[in-house]
Amino acid sequence: MEKFDKLLEYGQSYWLDNLSREIITNGNLENRIENEGLRGITSNPKIFMNAISSGDLYDEQVKKLAGNGKKTEDIYESLVVQDIQKACDMLRPVFDASNGEDGFVSLEVSPYLARETEKTKEEARRLYKEVDRPNCMIKIPGTKEGIPAIEEMLYEGININITLLFSVESYEAVAKAYLNALERRAEEGKPIDKIASVASFFLSRIDVLVDKMLLNDIIPQLEGDKKIVAGNLLGSTAIASAKIAYQRFLKLFSGERWEKLAAKGARVQRPLWASTSNKTEAYCNTRYVEPLIGRHTVNTMPGETIEAFKEYGHLFPNTVQQNVDDAYRVFDDLKKVGINLDEVTRQLVEEGIEKFIEPFNELLETVEEEAK
C-alpha cells in the first residue's frame, strides 16, 4: 500500500486492467481497493471473454436470460453491465473521496463500431444509461470516425475513456476534442466541473511491432554506426512516444484557452498509459511503469504488472518529464533508419480494432454455447 500511496502522491493513479465476476465475488477487488490503493478499472472484450468462458459464475444468469428468450447479444450485455455496476458500486467511495477524479470503471462500445460515428454515439448513450452510475466511463476508440463521437458524448456529459491511441498526433486530436466539448458546454451555460475523461495511450504493442521491424528488416541490412543506432532503438519507441505525448498534454492544458475552462471548474483529461504488460521476455515487467510517473496521469496495469511493481518496482517523482530530449532523438533516429512512425501507428490501430473484434466474436460464441 505504501508504494501505491507514494505513486498517488506523485500524481499518478493506478487502475486495474482486468474485470471479472470472480474478482468481485472472491474479495480480490475489495482488497485491492481497500488495502492496495486501487483507483479504477478498465475492461475490454478479451477480458470479458476470458471471464465468461472460465468457471461457472455466469451460468445461472445465462440460463435464466436464455430461458426468457433473450438474444445472445442481449445476454452478453446483461452479464457485462451487471459486473460493471457492481464494480462501480465498490469503487464509489474512491469516486466520492476524490471528488470524481478517480473511482471509474470503463465499458467498451462494440468493436464493430470503430468506424461508425453515429452508431458509436447511439451505443455510448445507451450503455451509459444502462449502467446508470456516475463513475462509469464509456470507452470509444480514437479513430478518425471515433473523434466526432467522443466530442459529442463529452458535450452531452458522458464520461469517456478514449482507447487505441498509438501516435502523438492522435493523442493531440482527442485532447482537442475534449477541450472543444467543454467549451461548447461552457458557452451554453452548462456545468463542466463533473466531466471526466482519460486518453489511453497504448504502449507495449508499439515496441512489439517496431522491434520486429528493426530485428527482421532494418538491422540485418545496416552496417557501422547506423547499425548501432538501430540496435539502440530496440524497446525505446513506446516510452519515447508517451513522453512526447505528455509534453503535448502539458501544452494543451495550460495557457489562456485552458485557464478559461479551469476557472469554471474543468478538470484535465488525463493521459492513461495502457497496454503496460510486458510482451517481450528480455524487458523488465515494470518497464512501462517506472519511466512514466507524473502528475495527472493514470497507469492501467494487469495483475502481474501490479505484483511486479509491488515486489521490485522503483519509484521516483516525475519520471515522465525526464530525458525528454532522448525521446525526441528516438523519433529522429527512427526516421534515419527508415521507419515511418505514421505507417506504424496506422497499422497498430487497424490491428487493435481486429484484436478487439476477434475476442468479441469468441465472447458471443461462448455466450451462445452457454445459452444452449
Side-chain angles (χ1 to χ4, degrees):
M1 181 68 172
E2 183 180 335
K3 191 170 281 188
F4 292 115
D5 283 343
K6 204 72 176 173
L7 193 66
L8 188 61
E9 183 184 318
Y10 291 159
Q12 184 170 91
S13 299
Y14 97 92
W15 293 4
L16 177 66
D17 188 17
N18 188 14
L19 178 62
S20 69
R21 194 160 294 182
E22 182 179 7
I23 68 167
I24 291 171
T25 58
N26 67 9
N28 181 288
L29 179 55
E30 183 179 18
N31 178 63
R32 288 199 186 278
I33 295 168
E34 294 186 359
N35 301 316
E36 296 184 355
L38 182 69
R39 311 282 293 176
I41 305 173
T42 61
S43 63
N44 62 48
K46 186 173 183 179
I47 289 168
F48 276 121
M49 189 272 291
N50 292 336
I52 293 171
S53 63
S54 60
D56 56 7
L57 289 173
Y58 297 89
D59 291 358
E60 193 63 36
Q61 190 179 358
V62 171
K63 183 179 178 181
K64 182 178 178 181
L65 291 166
N68 291 336
K70 293 285 187 181
K71 295 179 181 178
T72 301
E73 291 83 354
D74 296 331
I75 294 174
Y76 150 73
E77 194 169 294
S78 295
L79 302 178
V80 169
V81 166
Q82 183 173 316
D83 284 358
I84 295 289
Q85 288 173 327
K86 286 184 177 179
C88 282
D89 292 343
M90 293 175 76
L91 276 158
R92 184 61 188 265
V94 176
F95 177 78
D96 292 338
S98 65
N99 193 30
E101 175 136 344
D102 272 316
F104 289 98
V105 185
S106 297
L107 172 60
E108 192 130 13
V109 297
S110 167
Y112 292 123
L113 305 180
R115 299 296 184 189
E116 301 273 357
T117 302
E118 293 306 316
K119 289 182 179 178
T120 293
K121 293 179 189 177
E122 291 170 12
E123 179 146 321
R125 291 186 191 107
R126 186 176 57 75
L127 289 174
Y128 193 69
K129 185 177 181 181
E130 189 75 22
V131 175
D132 192 26
R133 300 292 190 276
N135 54 330
C136 171
M137 269 189 175
I138 302 299
K139 294 173 81 172
I140 298 176
T143 57
K144 180 180 68 174
E145 297 84 359
I147 288 172
I150 289 162
E151 180 178 330
E152 187 62 25
M153 293 304 94
L154 288 165
Y155 163 74
E156 291 181 17
I158 296 174
N159 305 313
I160 300 296
N161 176 345
I162 299 108
T163 68
L164 290 183
L165 299 178
F166 294 98
S167 73
V168 175
E169 291 72 25
S170 294
Y171 162 72
E172 193 163 356
V174 301
K176 287 178 177 177
Y178 177 69
L179 294 171
N180 291 343
L182 293 184
E183 286 171 340
R184 288 171 59 194
R185 286 181 65 86
E187 285 168 7
E188 295 176 14
K190 296 177 179 177
I192 59 174
D193 58 325
K194 302 298 183 186
I195 309 297
S197 178
V198 292
S200 296
F201 205 103
F202 283 49
L203 298 173
S204 62
R205 296 184 195 180
I206 298 175
D207 280 340
V208 168
L209 180 54
V210 173
D211 283 7
K212 183 180 177 182
M213 294 169 69
L214 287 167
L215 290 168
N216 295 347
D217 305 322
I218 307 288
I219 293 174
Q221 308 298 323
L222 297 176
E223 295 180 355
D225 290 346
K226 264 199 168 182
K227 195 180 189 91
I228 294 171
V229 168
N232 289 337
L233 287 170
L234 290 167
S236 63
T237 308
I239 291 169
S241 299
K243 291 194 173 194
I244 294 172
Y246 189 79
Q247 290 300 305
R248 301 284 175 89
F249 159 77
L250 292 175
K251 188 173 182 180
L252 285 162
F253 291 93
S254 63
E256 185 178 351
R257 183 185 186 186
W258 171 246
E259 292 304 325
K260 287 180 180 177
L261 293 168
K264 296 179 185 295
R267 64 184 82 226
V268 299
Q269 179 195 58
R270 291 182 293 174
L272 179 151
W273 313 128
S275 185
T276 58
S277 62
N278 175 36
K279 294 179 174 62
T280 305
E281 286 187 11
Y283 301 150
C284 175
N285 283 336
T286 58
R287 70 176 286 102
Y288 300 113
V289 182
E290 294 168 344
L292 298 175
I293 297 168
R295 294 194 61 76
H296 301 300
T297 60
V298 178
N299 196 313
T300 55
M301 309 181 208
E304 60 269 22
T305 304
I306 293 170
E307 296 308 313
F309 185 65
K310 277 164 53 179
E311 185 178 347
Y312 51 79
H314 295 97
L315 194 58
F316 300 101
N318 208 30
T319 54
V320 72
Q321 289 202 72
Q322 295 171 10
N323 305 315
V324 174
D325 287 346
D326 290 340
Y328 284 106
R329 193 173 302 116
V330 167
F331 274 34
D332 289 340
D333 288 346
L334 287 167
K335 289 179 186 175
K336 287 177 185 175
V337 300
I339 290 182
N340 185 324
L341 207 48
D342 290 338
E343 291 180 3
V344 168
T345 54
R346 277 196 293 272
Q347 179 178 333
L348 286 166
V349 170
E350 293 306 318
E351 289 178 355
I353 293 169
E354 286 302 314
K355 283 180 179 177
F356 281 162
I357 286 176
E358 288 172 16
F360 191 72
N361 288 337
E362 290 179 42
L363 173 56
L364 294 179
E365 289 170 9
T366 300
V367 171
E368 189 170 5
E369 288 300 314
E370 293 281 345
K372 288 177 181 176

PDB file of all heavy atoms in Angstrom, residues 138-169:
ATOM      1  N   ILE A 138     -17.409   5.303 -20.630  1.00  0.00           N
ATOM      2  CA  ILE A 138     -17.606   4.561 -21.866  1.00  0.00           C
ATOM      3  C   ILE A 138     -16.342   4.670 -22.713  1.00  0.00           C
ATOM      4  O   ILE A 138     -15.825   5.772 -22.921  1.00  0.00           O
ATOM      5  CB  ILE A 138     -18.830   5.091 -22.642  1.00  0.00           C
ATOM      6  CG1 ILE A 138     -20.097   4.993 -21.782  1.00  0.00           C
ATOM      7  CG2 ILE A 138     -18.991   4.312 -23.946  1.00  0.00           C
ATOM      8  CD1 ILE A 138     -20.473   3.599 -21.347  1.00  0.00           C
ATOM      9  N   LYS A 139     -15.873   3.526 -23.190  1.00  0.00           N
ATOM     10  CA  LYS A 139     -14.649   3.504 -23.992  1.00  0.00           C
ATOM     11  C   LYS A 139     -14.991   3.611 -25.480  1.00  0.00           C
ATOM     12  O   LYS A 139     -15.792   2.831 -25.998  1.00  0.00           O
ATOM     13  CB  LYS A 139     -13.869   2.208 -23.741  1.00  0.00           C
ATOM     14  CG  LYS A 139     -13.321   2.099 -22.332  1.00  0.00           C
ATOM     15  CD  LYS A 139     -12.710   0.744 -22.067  1.00  0.00           C
ATOM     16  CE  LYS A 139     -11.303   0.638 -22.600  1.00  0.00           C
ATOM     17  NZ  LYS A 139     -10.655  -0.632 -22.164  1.00  0.00           N
ATOM     18  N   ILE A 140     -14.385   4.584 -26.135  1.00  0.00           N
ATOM     19  CA  ILE A 140     -14.558   4.800 -27.574  1.00  0.00           C
ATOM     20  C   ILE A 140     -13.172   4.893 -28.198  1.00  0.00           C
ATOM     21  O   ILE A 140     -12.319   5.643 -27.696  1.00  0.00           O
ATOM     22  CB  ILE A 140     -15.343   6.095 -27.861  1.00  0.00           C
ATOM     23  CG1 ILE A 140     -16.760   6.023 -27.271  1.00  0.00           C
ATOM     24  CG2 ILE A 140     -15.416   6.362 -29.367  1.00  0.00           C
ATOM     25  CD1 ILE A 140     -17.567   7.299 -27.437  1.00  0.00           C
ATOM     26  N   PRO A 141     -12.905   4.157 -29.280  1.00  0.00           N
ATOM     27  CA  PRO A 141     -11.576   4.240 -29.905  1.00  0.00           C
ATOM     28  C   PRO A 141     -11.329   5.592 -30.561  1.00  0.00           C
ATOM     29  O   PRO A 141     -12.250   6.201 -31.118  1.00  0.00           O
ATOM     30  CB  PRO A 141     -11.600   3.110 -30.946  1.00  0.00           C
ATOM     31  CG  PRO A 141     -13.041   2.842 -31.198  1.00  0.00           C
ATOM     32  CD  PRO A 141     -13.768   3.161 -29.935  1.00  0.00           C
ATOM     33  N   GLY A 142     -10.079   6.038 -30.487  1.00  0.00           N
ATOM     34  CA  GLY A 142      -9.712   7.346 -31.036  1.00  0.00           C
ATOM     35  C   GLY A 142      -9.419   7.293 -32.519  1.00  0.00           C
ATOM     36  O   GLY A 142      -8.423   7.872 -32.991  1.00  0.00           O
ATOM     37  N   THR A 143     -10.273   6.619 -33.276  1.00  0.00           N
ATOM     38  CA  THR A 143     -10.141   6.583 -34.734  1.00  0.00           C
ATOM     39  C   THR A 143     -10.648   7.899 -35.316  1.00  0.00           C
ATOM     40  O   THR A 143     -11.268   8.706 -34.621  1.00  0.00           O
ATOM     41  CB  THR A 143     -10.965   5.429 -35.316  1.00  0.00           C
ATOM     42  OG1 THR A 143     -12.335   5.597 -34.912  1.00  0.00           O
ATOM     43  CG2 THR A 143     -10.469   4.078 -34.817  1.00  0.00           C
ATOM     44  N   LYS A 144     -10.430   8.089 -36.621  1.00  0.00           N
ATOM     45  CA  LYS A 144     -10.922   9.297 -37.290  1.00  0.00           C
ATOM     46  C   LYS A 144     -12.428   9.416 -37.127  1.00  0.00           C
ATOM     47  O   LYS A 144     -12.968  10.497 -36.887  1.00  0.00           O
ATOM     48  CB  LYS A 144     -10.545   9.235 -38.781  1.00  0.00           C
ATOM     49  CG  LYS A 144     -10.990  10.441 -39.591  1.00  0.00           C
ATOM     50  CD  LYS A 144     -10.581  10.315 -41.046  1.00  0.00           C
ATOM     51  CE  LYS A 144     -11.356   9.202 -41.741  1.00  0.00           C
ATOM     52  NZ  LYS A 144     -11.081   9.143 -43.207  1.00  0.00           N
ATOM     53  N   GLU A 145     -13.127   8.280 -37.227  1.00  0.00           N
ATOM     54  CA  GLU A 145     -14.577   8.276 -37.082  1.00  0.00           C
ATOM     55  C   GLU A 145     -15.005   8.384 -35.621  1.00  0.00           C
ATOM     56  O   GLU A 145     -16.118   8.822 -35.319  1.00  0.00           O
ATOM     57  CB  GLU A 145     -15.158   6.992 -37.685  1.00  0.00           C
ATOM     58  CG  GLU A 145     -14.922   6.840 -39.173  1.00  0.00           C
ATOM     59  CD  GLU A 145     -13.550   6.251 -39.511  1.00  0.00           C
ATOM     60  OE1 GLU A 145     -12.755   5.972 -38.580  1.00  0.00           O
ATOM     61  OE2 GLU A 145     -13.287   6.057 -40.706  1.00  0.00           O
ATOM     62  N   GLY A 146     -14.136   7.951 -34.716  1.00  0.00           N
ATOM     63  CA  GLY A 146     -14.475   7.984 -33.300  1.00  0.00           C
ATOM     64  C   GLY A 146     -14.389   9.364 -32.678  1.00  0.00           C
ATOM     65  O   GLY A 146     -15.123   9.673 -31.730  1.00  0.00           O
ATOM     66  N   ILE A 147     -13.516  10.214 -33.202  1.00  0.00           N
ATOM     67  CA  ILE A 147     -13.276  11.515 -32.579  1.00  0.00           C
ATOM     68  C   ILE A 147     -14.537  12.396 -32.530  1.00  0.00           C
ATOM     69  O   ILE A 147     -14.839  12.984 -31.490  1.00  0.00           O
ATOM     70  CB  ILE A 147     -12.094  12.229 -33.263  1.00  0.00           C
ATOM     71  CG1 ILE A 147     -10.790  11.514 -32.875  1.00  0.00           C
ATOM     72  CG2 ILE A 147     -12.015  13.704 -32.839  1.00  0.00           C
ATOM     73  CD1 ILE A 147      -9.569  11.984 -33.608  1.00  0.00           C
ATOM     74  N   PRO A 148     -15.346  12.497 -33.616  1.00  0.00           N
ATOM     75  CA  PRO A 148     -16.577  13.285 -33.502  1.00  0.00           C
ATOM     76  C   PRO A 148     -17.541  12.712 -32.458  1.00  0.00           C
ATOM     77  O   PRO A 148     -18.223  13.474 -31.760  1.00  0.00           O
ATOM     78  CB  PRO A 148     -17.189  13.212 -34.909  1.00  0.00           C
ATOM     79  CG  PRO A 148     -16.072  12.831 -35.814  1.00  0.00           C
ATOM     80  CD  PRO A 148     -15.150  11.991 -34.992  1.00  0.00           C
ATOM     81  N   ALA A 149     -17.581  11.391 -32.353  1.00  0.00           N
ATOM     82  CA  ALA A 149     -18.445  10.759 -31.350  1.00  0.00           C
ATOM     83  C   ALA A 149     -17.939  11.071 -29.947  1.00  0.00           C
ATOM     84  O   ALA A 149     -18.727  11.337 -29.025  1.00  0.00           O
ATOM     85  CB  ALA A 149     -18.502   9.253 -31.570  1.00  0.00           C
ATOM     86  N   ILE A 150     -16.627  11.054 -29.772  1.00  0.00           N
ATOM     87  CA  ILE A 150     -16.024  11.368 -28.472  1.00  0.00           C
ATOM     88  C   ILE A 150     -16.395  12.781 -28.045  1.00  0.00           C
ATOM     89  O   ILE A 150     -16.837  13.017 -26.914  1.00  0.00           O
ATOM     90  CB  ILE A 150     -14.484  11.200 -28.548  1.00  0.00           C
ATOM     91  CG1 ILE A 150     -14.121   9.722 -28.663  1.00  0.00           C
ATOM     92  CG2 ILE A 150     -13.801  11.845 -27.343  1.00  0.00           C
ATOM     93  CD1 ILE A 150     -12.723   9.465 -29.165  1.00  0.00           C
ATOM     94  N   GLU A 151     -16.213  13.735 -28.959  1.00  0.00           N
ATOM     95  CA  GLU A 151     -16.540  15.122 -28.619  1.00  0.00           C
ATOM     96  C   GLU A 151     -18.022  15.272 -28.269  1.00  0.00           C
ATOM     97  O   GLU A 151     -18.379  15.945 -27.290  1.00  0.00           O
ATOM     98  CB  GLU A 151     -16.181  16.053 -29.780  1.00  0.00           C
ATOM     99  CG  GLU A 151     -16.497  17.517 -29.465  1.00  0.00           C
ATOM    100  CD  GLU A 151     -16.114  18.479 -30.566  1.00  0.00           C
ATOM    101  OE1 GLU A 151     -15.149  18.210 -31.312  1.00  0.00           O
ATOM    102  OE2 GLU A 151     -16.790  19.521 -30.678  1.00  0.00           O
ATOM    103  N   GLU A 152     -18.886  14.640 -29.053  1.00  0.00           N
ATOM    104  CA  GLU A 152     -20.323  14.786 -28.822  1.00  0.00           C
ATOM    105  C   GLU A 152     -20.741  14.170 -27.489  1.00  0.00           C
ATOM    106  O   GLU A 152     -21.553  14.745 -26.754  1.00  0.00           O
ATOM    107  CB  GLU A 152     -21.102  14.143 -29.969  1.00  0.00           C
ATOM    108  CG  GLU A 152     -22.597  14.378 -29.915  1.00  0.00           C
ATOM    109  CD  GLU A 152     -22.995  15.856 -30.021  1.00  0.00           C
ATOM    110  OE1 GLU A 152     -22.216  16.649 -30.597  1.00  0.00           O
ATOM    111  OE2 GLU A 152     -24.082  16.197 -29.526  1.00  0.00           O
ATOM    112  N   MET A 153     -20.196  13.000 -27.164  1.00  0.00           N
ATOM    113  CA  MET A 153     -20.550  12.348 -25.900  1.00  0.00           C
ATOM    114  C   MET A 153     -20.074  13.164 -24.697  1.00  0.00           C
ATOM    115  O   MET A 153     -20.784  13.312 -23.700  1.00  0.00           O
ATOM    116  CB  MET A 153     -19.959  10.940 -25.847  1.00  0.00           C
ATOM    117  CG  MET A 153     -20.558   9.970 -26.860  1.00  0.00           C
ATOM    118  SD  MET A 153     -22.360   9.816 -26.735  1.00  0.00           S
ATOM    119  CE  MET A 153     -22.917  11.029 -27.944  1.00  0.00           C
ATOM    120  N   LEU A 154     -18.877  13.716 -24.794  1.00  0.00           N
ATOM    121  CA  LEU A 154     -18.376  14.571 -23.717  1.00  0.00           C
ATOM    122  C   LEU A 154     -19.239  15.819 -23.582  1.00  0.00           C
ATOM    123  O   LEU A 154     -19.555  16.256 -22.470  1.00  0.00           O
ATOM    124  CB  LEU A 154     -16.913  14.944 -23.984  1.00  0.00           C
ATOM    125  CG  LEU A 154     -15.901  13.805 -23.796  1.00  0.00           C
ATOM    126  CD1 LEU A 154     -14.563  14.173 -24.423  1.00  0.00           C
ATOM    127  CD2 LEU A 154     -15.713  13.481 -22.317  1.00  0.00           C
ATOM    128  N   TYR A 155     -19.627  16.380 -24.713  1.00  0.00           N
ATOM    129  CA  TYR A 155     -20.517  17.541 -24.698  1.00  0.00           C
ATOM    130  C   TYR A 155     -21.836  17.200 -24.010  1.00  0.00           C
ATOM    131  O   TYR A 155     -22.410  18.016 -23.282  1.00  0.00           O
ATOM    132  CB  TYR A 155     -20.767  18.020 -26.139  1.00  0.00           C
ATOM    133  CG  TYR A 155     -21.963  18.929 -26.266  1.00  0.00           C
ATOM    134  CD1 TYR A 155     -21.916  20.248 -25.809  1.00  0.00           C
ATOM    135  CD2 TYR A 155     -23.152  18.452 -26.820  1.00  0.00           C
ATOM    136  CE1 TYR A 155     -23.027  21.070 -25.915  1.00  0.00           C
ATOM    137  CE2 TYR A 155     -24.258  19.270 -26.931  1.00  0.00           C
ATOM    138  CZ  TYR A 155     -24.193  20.585 -26.466  1.00  0.00           C
ATOM    139  OH  TYR A 155     -25.298  21.397 -26.557  1.00  0.00           O
ATOM    140  N   GLU A 156     -22.319  15.973 -24.221  1.00  0.00           N
ATOM    141  CA  GLU A 156     -23.579  15.558 -23.602  1.00  0.00           C
ATOM    142  C   GLU A 156     -23.430  15.185 -22.128  1.00  0.00           C
ATOM    143  O   GLU A 156     -24.414  14.897 -21.457  1.00  0.00           O
ATOM    144  CB  GLU A 156     -24.168  14.372 -24.382  1.00  0.00           C
ATOM    145  CG  GLU A 156     -24.646  14.765 -25.778  1.00  0.00           C
ATOM    146  CD  GLU A 156     -25.249  13.594 -26.550  1.00  0.00           C
ATOM    147  OE1 GLU A 156     -25.592  12.570 -25.909  1.00  0.00           O
ATOM    148  OE2 GLU A 156     -25.388  13.706 -27.785  1.00  0.00           O
ATOM    149  N   GLY A 157     -22.189  15.174 -21.645  1.00  0.00           N
ATOM    150  CA  GLY A 157     -21.969  14.905 -20.228  1.00  0.00           C
ATOM    151  C   GLY A 157     -21.642  13.468 -19.888  1.00  0.00           C
ATOM    152  O   GLY A 157     -21.702  13.072 -18.720  1.00  0.00           O
ATOM    153  N   ILE A 158     -21.264  12.679 -20.879  1.00  0.00           N
ATOM    154  CA  ILE A 158     -20.900  11.274 -20.654  1.00  0.00           C
ATOM    155  C   ILE A 158     -19.387  11.176 -20.494  1.00  0.00           C
ATOM    156  O   ILE A 158     -18.631  11.715 -21.308  1.00  0.00           O
ATOM    157  CB  ILE A 158     -21.384  10.401 -21.829  1.00  0.00           C
ATOM    158  CG1 ILE A 158     -22.916  10.414 -21.901  1.00  0.00           C
ATOM    159  CG2 ILE A 158     -20.864   8.971 -21.711  1.00  0.00           C
ATOM    160  CD1 ILE A 158     -23.493   9.694 -23.102  1.00  0.00           C
ATOM    161  N   ASN A 159     -18.947  10.490 -19.450  1.00  0.00           N
ATOM    162  CA  ASN A 159     -17.512  10.300 -19.218  1.00  0.00           C
ATOM    163  C   ASN A 159     -16.946   9.344 -20.263  1.00  0.00           C
ATOM    164  O   ASN A 159     -17.521   8.284 -20.510  1.00  0.00           O
ATOM    165  CB  ASN A 159     -17.265   9.720 -17.826  1.00  0.00           C
ATOM    166  CG  ASN A 159     -17.895  10.556 -16.732  1.00  0.00           C
ATOM    167  OD1 ASN A 159     -17.760  11.778 -16.726  1.00  0.00           O
ATOM    168  ND2 ASN A 159     -18.575   9.914 -15.800  1.00  0.00           N
ATOM    169  N   ILE A 160     -15.808   9.713 -20.852  1.00  0.00           N
ATOM    170  CA  ILE A 160     -15.264   8.912 -21.950  1.00  0.00           C
ATOM    171  C   ILE A 160     -13.802   8.544 -21.705  1.00  0.00           C
ATOM    172  O   ILE A 160     -12.981   9.388 -21.347  1.00  0.00           O
ATOM    173  CB  ILE A 160     -15.373   9.667 -23.298  1.00  0.00           C
ATOM    174  CG1 ILE A 160     -16.834   9.989 -23.629  1.00  0.00           C
ATOM    175  CG2 ILE A 160     -14.744   8.841 -24.430  1.00  0.00           C
ATOM    176  CD1 ILE A 160     -17.724   8.793 -23.849  1.00  0.00           C
ATOM    177  N   ASN A 161     -13.513   7.254 -21.944  1.00  0.00           N
ATOM    178  CA  ASN A 161     -12.150   6.739 -21.965  1.00  0.00           C
ATOM    179  C   ASN A 161     -11.816   6.482 -23.433  1.00  0.00           C
ATOM    180  O   ASN A 161     -12.412   5.612 -24.060  1.00  0.00           O
ATOM    181  CB  ASN A 161     -12.088   5.447 -21.142  1.00  0.00           C
ATOM    182  CG  ASN A 161     -10.717   4.772 -21.173  1.00  0.00           C
ATOM    183  OD1 ASN A 161      -9.877   5.080 -22.000  1.00  0.00           O
ATOM    184  ND2 ASN A 161     -10.514   3.828 -20.263  1.00  0.00           N
ATOM    185  N   ILE A 162     -10.895   7.268 -23.986  1.00  0.00           N
ATOM    186  CA  ILE A 162     -10.548   7.124 -25.403  1.00  0.00           C
ATOM    187  C   ILE A 162      -9.454   6.066 -25.533  1.00  0.00           C
ATOM    188  O   ILE A 162      -8.416   6.157 -24.875  1.00  0.00           O
ATOM    189  CB  ILE A 162     -10.078   8.450 -26.018  1.00  0.00           C
ATOM    190  CG1 ILE A 162     -11.185   9.504 -25.945  1.00  0.00           C
ATOM    191  CG2 ILE A 162      -9.681   8.269 -27.464  1.00  0.00           C
ATOM    192  CD1 ILE A 162     -10.925  10.573 -24.937  1.00  0.00           C
ATOM    193  N   THR A 163      -9.682   5.081 -26.384  1.00  0.00           N
ATOM    194  CA  THR A 163      -8.755   3.954 -26.493  1.00  0.00           C
ATOM    195  C   THR A 163      -8.039   3.936 -27.840  1.00  0.00           C
ATOM    196  O   THR A 163      -8.312   4.741 -28.732  1.00  0.00           O
ATOM    197  CB  THR A 163      -9.501   2.622 -26.308  1.00  0.00           C
ATOM    198  OG1 THR A 163     -10.388   2.417 -27.423  1.00  0.00           O
ATOM    199  CG2 THR A 163     -10.317   2.625 -25.032  1.00  0.00           C
ATOM    200  N   LEU A 164      -7.119   2.979 -27.955  1.00  0.00           N
ATOM    201  CA  LEU A 164      -6.384   2.718 -29.203  1.00  0.00           C
ATOM    202  C   LEU A 164      -5.618   3.941 -29.704  1.00  0.00           C
ATOM    203  O   LEU A 164      -5.588   4.215 -30.900  1.00  0.00           O
ATOM    204  CB  LEU A 164      -7.328   2.192 -30.296  1.00  0.00           C
ATOM    205  CG  LEU A 164      -7.873   0.781 -30.093  1.00  0.00           C
ATOM    206  CD1 LEU A 164      -8.736   0.371 -31.284  1.00  0.00           C
ATOM    207  CD2 LEU A 164      -6.755  -0.241 -29.889  1.00  0.00           C
ATOM    208  N   LEU A 165      -5.004   4.662 -28.801  1.00  0.00           N
ATOM    209  CA  LEU A 165      -4.125   5.768 -29.189  1.00  0.00           C
ATOM    210  C   LEU A 165      -2.688   5.248 -29.249  1.00  0.00           C
ATOM    211  O   LEU A 165      -2.167   4.728 -28.263  1.00  0.00           O
ATOM    212  CB  LEU A 165      -4.227   6.916 -28.183  1.00  0.00           C
ATOM    213  CG  LEU A 165      -5.613   7.550 -28.027  1.00  0.00           C
ATOM    214  CD1 LEU A 165      -5.583   8.634 -26.959  1.00  0.00           C
ATOM    215  CD2 LEU A 165      -6.116   8.119 -29.343  1.00  0.00           C
ATOM    216  N   PHE A 166      -2.073   5.396 -30.407  1.00  0.00           N
ATOM    217  CA  PHE A 166      -0.696   4.937 -30.594  1.00  0.00           C
ATOM    218  C   PHE A 166       0.235   6.058 -31.027  1.00  0.00           C
ATOM    219  O   PHE A 166       1.447   5.905 -30.968  1.00  0.00           O
ATOM    220  CB  PHE A 166      -0.648   3.825 -31.652  1.00  0.00           C
ATOM    221  CG  PHE A 166      -1.356   2.568 -31.247  1.00  0.00           C
ATOM    222  CD1 PHE A 166      -2.650   2.318 -31.678  1.00  0.00           C
ATOM    223  CD2 PHE A 166      -0.735   1.632 -30.436  1.00  0.00           C
ATOM    224  CE1 PHE A 166      -3.312   1.148 -31.315  1.00  0.00           C
ATOM    225  CE2 PHE A 166      -1.389   0.458 -30.067  1.00  0.00           C
ATOM    226  CZ  PHE A 166      -2.681   0.222 -30.508  1.00  0.00           C
ATOM    227  N   SER A 167      -0.319   7.166 -31.503  1.00  0.00           N
ATOM    228  CA  SER A 167       0.530   8.247 -32.014  1.00  0.00           C
ATOM    229  C   SER A 167       0.304   9.529 -31.234  1.00  0.00           C
ATOM    230  O   SER A 167      -0.774   9.752 -30.668  1.00  0.00           O
ATOM    231  CB  SER A 167       0.241   8.498 -33.498  1.00  0.00           C
ATOM    232  OG  SER A 167      -1.007   9.152 -33.662  1.00  0.00           O
ATOM    233  N   VAL A 168       1.315  10.363 -31.226  1.00  0.00           N
ATOM    234  CA  VAL A 168       1.226  11.656 -30.557  1.00  0.00           C
ATOM    235  C   VAL A 168       0.151  12.512 -31.219  1.00  0.00           C
ATOM    236  O   VAL A 168      -0.606  13.219 -30.548  1.00  0.00           O
ATOM    237  CB  VAL A 168       2.596  12.368 -30.594  1.00  0.00           C
ATOM    238  CG1 VAL A 168       2.492  13.775 -30.016  1.00  0.00           C
ATOM    239  CG2 VAL A 168       3.633  11.551 -29.828  1.00  0.00           C
ATOM    240  N   GLU A 169       0.045  12.419 -32.545  1.00  0.00           N
ATOM    241  CA  GLU A 169      -0.950  13.207 -33.285  1.00  0.00           C
ATOM    242  C   GLU A 169      -2.367  12.789 -32.909  1.00  0.00           C
ATOM    243  O   GLU A 169      -3.252  13.632 -32.739  1.00  0.00           O
ATOM    244  CB  GLU A 169      -0.734  13.046 -34.788  1.00  0.00           C
ATOM    245  CG  GLU A 169       0.548  13.691 -35.315  1.00  0.00           C
ATOM    246  CD  GLU A 169       1.813  12.961 -34.910  1.00  0.00           C
ATOM    247  OE1 GLU A 169       1.738  11.733 -34.639  1.00  0.00           O
ATOM    248  OE2 GLU A 169       2.887  13.602 -34.841  1.00  0.00           O
TER     249      GLU A 169
END
